[in-house]
Amino acid sequence: MTASAYARWIDRRRRGVLAASALVAVAAGWLAARLPLRGDFAELLPEGSPSVRALRELAARVPSFGTILVVAESDDAALRTRAAEALAARLGRLDPALVATVTWDDRPARDYFWRNRFLFASLDDLRAARDALDRRIVRAKLEANPLYVDLEDAPRDSPHDETDALRRKLDEARAARDAAGAFVSRDGRMQLVVVRTTFDPSEVTPAERLVAAVQACIAATAAELGPRVTIGAQGDVYTALAEHRALLHGVLQSTLLTVSTVALGLVLYFRTARGLAALMWALAIGTLATFAAARLTIGRLNLVTGFLSSIVVGNGINFGIVLLARFLEEKRAGRRGPDAIAAAIGGTLRGTLAAALTAAVAYGSLAVTDFKGFRQFGVIGGTGMILCWIAAYTVLPAALAVLERRGLRARAEPALGRWLARLVPDRPRAMAAAGAVVVAASAAATFVYFAGGPFEQSLRNLLSDNAELREARARLARIDAAFSGDVSGGFVIAAPDRDAARRAVATMRGGDAARPDRAKLFGSIQTLDDALPRDQEDKLAVLADIRAKIDRAAVADVDDLRPPDGLRALGDADVPDVLAWRFTEKDGTRGRLVLADTSRNYDTWKIPDLIRFVAAVRGLDLGNGVALGGGMFVFADVLRSMESDGPKATVAAFLGATLVTAIVVGPGAPGLITLACCVAGTLLMLACAWLVGLRVNFLDFVALPITIGIGIDYSANIVARARAAAEAPRRLLATIGGAVAMCSFTTVVGYASLLLSANRGIRSFGWAATLGEVTSLLCAVALAPALVALARRS
């Protein structure tokens, strides 16, 4: 079908096309509105990596729960305790579908250690006490004999000295039993009430319900006890909600800013409100259809794809801009109705199709990566480009056909193209030579950039950052400091059985014991065995001997050393839940989980430290079937994957763009010019990134393949116009150049809106993509017309 026949077909069915677009808008809008947004990094994980396999295994075994730490603070210890009791009572009555446990006192743990205090004494101390008891019994018998004469002149020790080691252990157990407990801070001002949830903290709906209920409990308790008690709450549930709100706010803010700024810029450029309304309606259909397709195929958005709404708007509108600009240009030339629409479609189809396909290929190149999140980014972005192009060539022509019958006017040619024509020198050879110099310098700068290591070195620069999150992190840090840093952090090691867990722990502790302090890996290693006495059978034998000796002999001042009757070996089931829950799996199995954290020698927020630590831990022979789970292991795999996936995605994008350019633009000079501008823009983008010191992280490395697609987009439209009409370079810029500049404006707005995100990784992506956008436009408007002119001369 020719452009003229298609335009007349659209003109006859204009109302039907618009009615169908309205139905699509309703259905797609309904689906898109139900697209959930997940902000956790797990949504981005590389499939098949060791950390992800371990994470899946742990997810099947380890209960998935969040934690809320409610803190009662007061100078009055009694009032603080009353507040904790009242809070625990209220929190304990909350919906059991949301709350798994509420713990505010470790009295069961302290009672457990006190009841079994003799078993927790060391075997050496027990044996020493037994031997000392033997000596005292012998001495007592001798002293009871009237014929016994002590010929030694040495002074006698206090009767307690021979058993002091055991007495000290028992006194320590008594002091621990009577202490304030682990849920009271070291200064005695703060007391924790720990709420463990039945759901993962990343689940937004139950988290919102529970946080609201917890806040109601806090308000009621505060009203009951007065202003002398301060009550607050924190924990991973609060932090995850704050991250989600920051992400959602950023998405909405960037989308609204993109739409409003793009609309304002296009009104000033086209100076036709009705034409702009038609353009925005077509864009809305393409965008809604994109996210409806995402809802049907992927099901949710993640930390990266959440911001695709502004990117799809900013990039997907380009095709409609070029078509509308050409339509108004044809009207200024005297064409009307279907003839103007046909000329606009025929004159722009090749360039915009090349742009849409190369953009889709650039997004689609992310499918070669191991990142689930970035594959989704590529699928949604690529689909969006195709759907927006389809909407631009179906819905927009139908709307223009309707507006033509209502007297749509084309105002004077926009001045932007003429300004561009004046700014760019009309000297093709000089421009081409300057372009060659810039490309060579950019290539050298790119080499230096990558040779020096362009990757981000701190994971802190990937965190979200706003007032709410800063306050949440400050509160959690204060709680950690008040409770000796035992409240948060660490990672999980899961073994296939109890003995395997013990062997893994022995390997970890043995390895650290052989290292100097400056090289130790672990700050702490915790297992269920830490809550069980060691050498129990040997201890029970010694304790039985001590009990029998005390019962048989009349020796003064040793009653407190008599072990109670009924002592037995303790097993996993005897450990109270307050100690055992961290080592308990979903099926109730205890003891196969190990908790560990890094030593002070490693700051795992720093990527070099993270890589070294993960490599060292994985280098330990922990045994078959042992799974290491934790964010640091995931990030290590993400970073390794990024270093290999970045080049793969870039090569895939370039090869795909080359193929599309050869097919749509042409394999000869037009295609070569388009690719030359693409290469120049990409190298210039990397050189600029080096100049401004931009660090590459795993969120923004996708900017490079996307820039390749953009580099094709603008130059393809200029080259396509040059093929259709033998216009001089200045005339090319005066006509299609203005439209291309507006395309760049809308895309820059889409990327720049990401700078409003609370997430610093997303902001970095916004900077990188904006740089690529500007350099691609610069090469398209400065280099493409010059190369076209030189090609014509040759």
Side-chain angles (χ1 to χ4, degrees):
M1 181 182 289
T2 63
S4 177
Y6 177 70
R8 296 186 186 284
W9 183 89
I10 283 284
D11 184 66
R12 289 193 301 271
R13 292 165 175 78
R14 58 191 181 280
R15 292 189 180 87
V17 171
L18 292 178
S21 72
L23 292 176
V24 169
V26 171
W30 184 84
L31 285 170
R34 283 155 178 77
L35 193 61
L37 180 64
R38 299 285 296 273
D40 52 318
F41 279 108
E43 292 295 316
L44 308 178
L45 297 180
E47 300 287 350
S49 65
S51 62
V52 175
R53 291 195 297 269
L55 204 61
R56 289 190 182 124
E57 179 180 340
L58 290 172
R61 293 174 55 182
V62 181
S64 178
F65 55 80
T67 303
I68 294 179
L69 308 173
V70 187
V71 182
E73 185 172 1
S74 176
D75 292 326
D76 185 332
L79 193 60
R80 180 211 69 216
T81 302
R82 283 178 53 201
E85 290 176 348
L87 274 170
R90 288 187 169 94
L91 294 168
R93 292 192 292 269
L94 296 181
D95 187 353
L98 300 175
V99 176
T101 62
V102 176
T103 309
W104 69 281
D105 187 8
D106 64 345
R107 172 65 62 181
R110 287 180 282 148
D111 288 344
Y112 164 76
F113 286 116
W114 173 251
R115 287 194 308 271
N116 301 287
R117 58 193 177 278
F118 284 93
L119 285 173
F120 282 99
S122 73
L123 183 59
D124 288 342
D125 288 343
L126 292 177
R127 286 170 173 164
R130 180 188 61 185
D131 295 343
L133 192 58
D134 281 338
R135 290 192 295 270
R136 291 191 60 187
I137 291 172
V138 170
R139 181 181 294 276
K141 289 179 178 180
L142 291 174
E143 290 176 347
N145 186 347
L147 300 178
Y148 171 70
V149 177
D150 188 354
L151 300 178
E152 295 182 3
D153 294 330
R156 293 185 181 180
D157 294 335
S158 162
H160 292 295
D161 288 344
E162 298 168 320
T163 53
D164 265 355
L166 179 57
R167 278 198 167 88
R168 280 196 302 270
K169 296 295 184 184
L170 298 179
D171 288 342
E172 290 171 4
R174 182 181 292 105
R177 179 197 64 183
D178 299 333
F183 289 80
V184 177
S185 62
R186 290 174 296 177
D187 61 7
R189 298 191 73 254
M190 300 168 65
Q191 186 159 356
L192 276 179
V193 179
V194 180
V195 179
R196 294 206 306 274
T197 70
T198 59
F199 54 85
D200 189 271
S202 63
E203 297 180 39
V204 175
T205 301
E208 288 176 336
R209 288 176 54 203
L210 182 56
V211 165
V214 168
Q215 292 302 126
C217 293
I218 290 173
T221 305
E224 175 188 338
L225 296 175
R228 293 178 59 200
V229 177
T230 302
I231 305 175
Q234 194 42 256
D236 54 11
V237 173
Y238 275 74
T239 305
L241 268 183
E243 290 272 7
H244 176 78
R245 282 193 290 265
L247 181 60
L248 186 61
H249 176 74
V251 169
L252 294 175
Q253 191 177 34
S254 65
T255 302
L256 291 175
L257 179 65
T258 299
V259 172
S260 58
T261 306
V262 164
L264 177 61
L266 292 176
V267 163
L268 295 175
Y269 178 74
F270 287 117
R271 290 173 295 166
T272 166
R274 290 188 295 171
L276 178 61
L279 173 60
M280 298 303 286
W281 177 248
L283 175 65
I285 299 303
T287 304
L288 290 173
T290 298
F291 289 98
R295 177 67 179 86
L296 293 173
T297 57
I298 296 173
R300 59 182 175 271
L301 300 177
N302 59 49
L303 181 65
V304 177
T305 57
F307 286 89
L308 269 172
S309 53
S310 59
I311 296 174
V312 169
V313 168
N315 207 347
I317 198 173
N318 292 354
F319 320 120
I321 289 175
V322 173
L323 180 61
L324 179 60
R326 185 61 180 267
F327 171 75
L328 295 175
E329 182 184 341
E330 295 299 332
K331 281 182 65 65
R332 285 191 289 270
R335 290 188 175 87
R336 295 291 182 269
D339 290 338
I341 295 173
I345 292 174
T348 61
L349 184 66
R350 184 187 295 269
T352 58
L353 179 59
L357 291 177
T358 52
V361 167
Y363 284 109
S365 68
L366 300 176
V368 305
T369 69
D370 289 332
F371 289 84
K372 177 177 64 178
F374 291 132
R375 288 207 302 271
Q376 294 173 0
F377 184 95
V379 169
I380 296 174
T383 301
M385 295 303 99
I386 298 301
L387 291 176
C388 286
W389 184 85
I390 292 172
Y393 281 84
T394 53
V395 178
L396 180 55
L400 293 177
V402 171
L403 294 177
E404 270 289 86
R405 286 168 169 74
R406 299 186 180 184
L408 177 65
R409 294 176 56 194
R411 299 186 181 274
E413 185 176 80
L416 180 59
R418 294 195 301 274
W419 294 343
L420 278 176
R422 293 192 190 102
L423 286 173
V424 178
D426 191 18
R427 299 177 62 186
R429 289 185 181 277
M431 292 300 296
V437 171
V438 169
V439 169
S442 298
T446 298
F447 176 80
V448 173
Y449 185 40
F450 281 98
F455 299 112
E456 177 62 64
Q457 296 299 301
S458 175
L459 291 176
R460 288 187 176 90
N461 291 332
L462 301 181
L463 296 176
S464 294
D465 181 38
N466 60 19
E468 182 183 12
L469 283 165
R470 286 194 295 272
E471 182 181 354
R473 290 175 186 135
R475 286 198 300 266
L476 189 58
R478 184 166 176 261
I479 293 172
D480 272 352
F483 291 87
S484 305
D486 294 330
V487 178
S488 62
F491 58 93
V492 179
I493 299 169
D497 54 57
R498 198 78 164 80
D499 289 338
R502 291 190 175 107
R503 288 193 298 271
V505 169
T507 299
M508 295 162 68
R509 288 176 173 161
D512 259 9
R515 296 184 181 94
D517 289 343
R518 66 180 180 277
K520 291 188 184 301
L521 292 176
F522 305 104
S524 69
I525 302 170
Q526 303 173 55
T527 75
L528 186 61
D529 284 335
D530 297 332
L532 291 169
R534 300 178 185 277
D535 307 314
Q536 293 193 67
E537 295 302 327
D538 291 338
K539 288 179 180 180
L540 286 171
V542 175
L543 289 169
D545 205 5
I546 291 174
R547 187 188 306 112
K549 291 180 185 297
I550 292 176
D551 289 344
R552 287 196 304 267
V555 182
D557 301 323
V558 293
D559 288 345
D560 59 328
L561 299 181
R562 184 186 185 279
D565 297 324
L567 284 180
R568 60 176 178 81
L570 301 177
D572 292 349
D574 294 304
V575 180
D577 286 341
V578 70
L579 296 173
W581 67 268
R582 294 184 298 174
F583 311 104
T584 305
E585 301 177 35
K586 287 181 177 179
D587 61 1
T589 302
R590 290 182 169 189
R592 299 189 301 182
L593 304 180
V594 179
L595 302 182
D597 61 14
T598 59
S599 71
R600 296 181 182 273
N601 299 320
Y602 295 89
D603 179 359
T604 51
W605 286 104
K606 295 178 180 177
I607 289 175
D609 277 14
L610 171 68
I611 297 296
R612 284 195 303 117
F613 177 79
V614 169
V617 173
R618 284 178 170 165
L620 298 174
D621 184 11
L622 297 182
N624 294 330
V626 174
L628 299 168
M632 64 184 70
F633 297 97
V634 171
F635 274 120
D637 285 344
V638 165
L639 296 168
R640 287 196 192 90
S641 182
M642 180 185 73
E643 293 180 1
S644 61
D645 284 348
K648 282 195 300 186
T650 302
V651 170
F654 184 75
L655 293 178
T658 301
L659 180 62
V660 170
T661 301
I663 294 172
V664 179
V665 179
L672 292 175
I673 291 171
T674 302
L675 289 175
C677 292
C678 168
V679 171
T682 303
L683 289 174
L684 185 57
M685 173 250 195
L686 292 171
C688 290
W690 171 66
L691 286 172
V692 302
L694 185 68
R695 311 303 295 177
V696 179
N697 61 63
F698 75 93
L699 289 177
D700 62 26
F701 83 93
V702 299
L704 186 56
I706 291 175
T707 297
I708 292 174
I710 292 171
I712 296 289
D713 186 336
Y714 303 148
S715 54
N717 278 292
I718 291 176
V719 171
R721 176 62 180 253
R723 287 189 65 182
E727 296 175 337
R730 283 188 181 276
R731 182 56 189 163
L732 275 176
L733 293 178
T735 53
I736 189 63
V740 166
M742 285 308 299
C743 290
S744 178
F745 164 75
T746 61
T747 309
V748 164
V749 169
Y751 288 136
S753 69
L754 303 185
L755 302 179
L756 300 175
S757 169
N759 184 274
R760 284 175 282 192
I762 293 294
R763 292 205 298 269
S764 177
F765 169 72
W767 280 116
T770 300
L771 276 179
E773 180 65 33
V774 171
T775 59
S776 295
L777 174 66
L778 179 62
C779 290
V781 299
L783 195 56
L787 294 178
V788 165
L790 291 177
R792 284 175 179 163
R793 293 178 186 177
S794 63

